[in-house]
Amino acid sequence: MSSTTLATIVVAMDGPSGSGKSSTSRGVADRLGLRYLDTGAMFRAMTWFMLEQGVDLTDPAAIAEQAGKPDIVSGTDPLAPTITVDGTDVAEAIRGEAVTGAVSPVSAVPEVRARLLQLQRDIIGAGGIVVEGRDIGSVVAPDAPVKVYMTADPAARAARRALEEGGSDAAAVEASLLARDKIDSSRATAPLTMPDGAHHIDTTPYSLDEVIGQVVALVEAAVR
Ligand SMILES: Nc1ncnc2c1ncn2[C@@H]1O[C@H](COP(=O)(O)OP(=O)(O)OP(=O)(O)O)[C@@H](O)[C@H]1O
Ligand SMILES: Nc1ccn([C@H]2C[C@H](O)[C@@H](COP(=O)(O)O)O2)c(=O)n1
């Protein structure tokens, strides 16, 4: 009999940009009554802060010097996740081109990762949460009872994102996704990788609802 319960479970969801982590994680958390944490939004919020401060983003030492300063607060309701920096709601601003274009190099700075790792572990606390990002099953919560590594063909990822953005150029979106994947997978600290013990789901042929169902089944099996 497993000692894991829904109240204590940590579901670690990792994968490259646009593979479906956020939408799947929110759907799973909603169906199971769990909290939800978007760690990518935290890295984006840190990047927004750096841009606001006029930090030279080509200088890792300058980024490191500022990494301890912003107060980043994440709300964990899967139906209405929130994110603020020093009390300012940045939920919309962090999805803009400026942040998207700068977030991978900022995320590669070890001091940024150390600061956010601490915040992420504080939020995870005793569990009851679905957490998504790039290093959740490998670094943030390596003992998570359920780990999922999601992928999808680059063309499918780009087409989904372009649709979401209301008809952006799919080729340009694909180039941007692949550029971020490259930096996220090759950095020295906590690179994107399939964690030990993860279930690999290639979401290309499945609808969002089907993928949510697959992950819910994994969680239900873990708490049985
Ligand atoms: N299985 C699926 N089938 C079709 N569309 C999907 C599927 N999963 C997610 N999507 C859609 O693909 C888009 C990208 O998904 P989502 O934002 O969840 O990806 P992500 O991995 O969190 O991306 P990022 O890392 O860039 O935040 C969204 O518009 C979402 O609705
Ligand atoms: N655990 C994480 C989560 C995110 N990042 C970085 C790398 C991504 O390109 C960027 C934005 O994430 P997204 O909103 O696309 O999920 O944040 C990371 O390094 N580690």
Side-chain angles (χ1 to χ4, degrees):
M1 184 80 163
S2 162
S3 60
T4 305
T5 66
L6 279 179
T8 62
I9 197 162
V10 177
V11 183
M13 306 282 289
D14 291 298
S17 303
S19 53
K21 301 179 299 296
S22 303
S23 25
T24 304
S25 299
R26 291 174 64 175
V28 170
D30 180 39
R31 274 203 211 168
L32 295 173
L34 300 175
R35 295 180 296 138
Y36 159 72
L37 179 62
D38 177 356
T39 63
M42 300 173 84
F43 284 93
R44 287 171 178 272
M46 179 67 85
T47 303
W48 177 88
F49 173 81
M50 299 288 169
L51 290 169
E52 285 288 300
Q53 299 300 308
V55 175
D56 176 1
L57 299 186
T58 64
D59 180 358
I63 296 172
E65 198 181 305
Q66 299 292 321
K69 296 191 177 162
D71 181 28
I72 296 173
V73 178
S74 303
T76 58
D77 177 347
L79 296 181
T82 56
I83 182 124
T84 60
V85 177
D86 297 328
T88 300
D89 179 351
V90 295
E92 209 177 309
I94 62 171
R95 303 293 162 192
E97 271 179 34
V99 170
T100 299
V103 65
S104 283
V106 170
S107 307
V109 175
E111 288 80 358
V112 167
R113 302 205 71 80
R115 171 85 200 290
L116 295 184
L117 176 65
Q118 191 53 56
L119 291 181
Q120 290 157 14
R121 287 191 173 151
D122 287 349
I123 294 167
I124 291 168
I129 191 164
V130 182
V131 188
E132 58 117 336
R134 302 293 189 290
D135 61 343
I136 309 307
S138 56
V139 175
V140 178
D143 297 329
V146 176
K147 299 183 190 181
V148 176
Y149 187 73
M150 299 181 65
T151 58
D153 288 349
R157 292 194 271 145
R160 290 171 182 174
R161 184 66 87 207
L163 186 70
E164 178 188 343
E165 290 174 354
S168 317
D169 174 2
V173 172
E174 185 171 340
S176 164
L177 291 176
L178 292 176
R180 276 206 287 144
D181 287 356
K182 194 170 174 192
I183 303 176
D184 296 344
S185 310
S186 59
R187 65 179 176 232
T189 310
L192 169 65
T193 182
M194 181 158 130
D196 287 344
H199 300 269
H200 179 198
I201 302 178
D202 178 351
T203 69
T204 312
Y206 301 113
S207 69
L208 177 56
D209 207 49
E210 286 171 326
V211 180
I212 291 169
Q214 290 175 24
V215 178
V216 165
L218 291 172
V219 175
E220 286 175 343
V223 299
R224 208 160 275 145

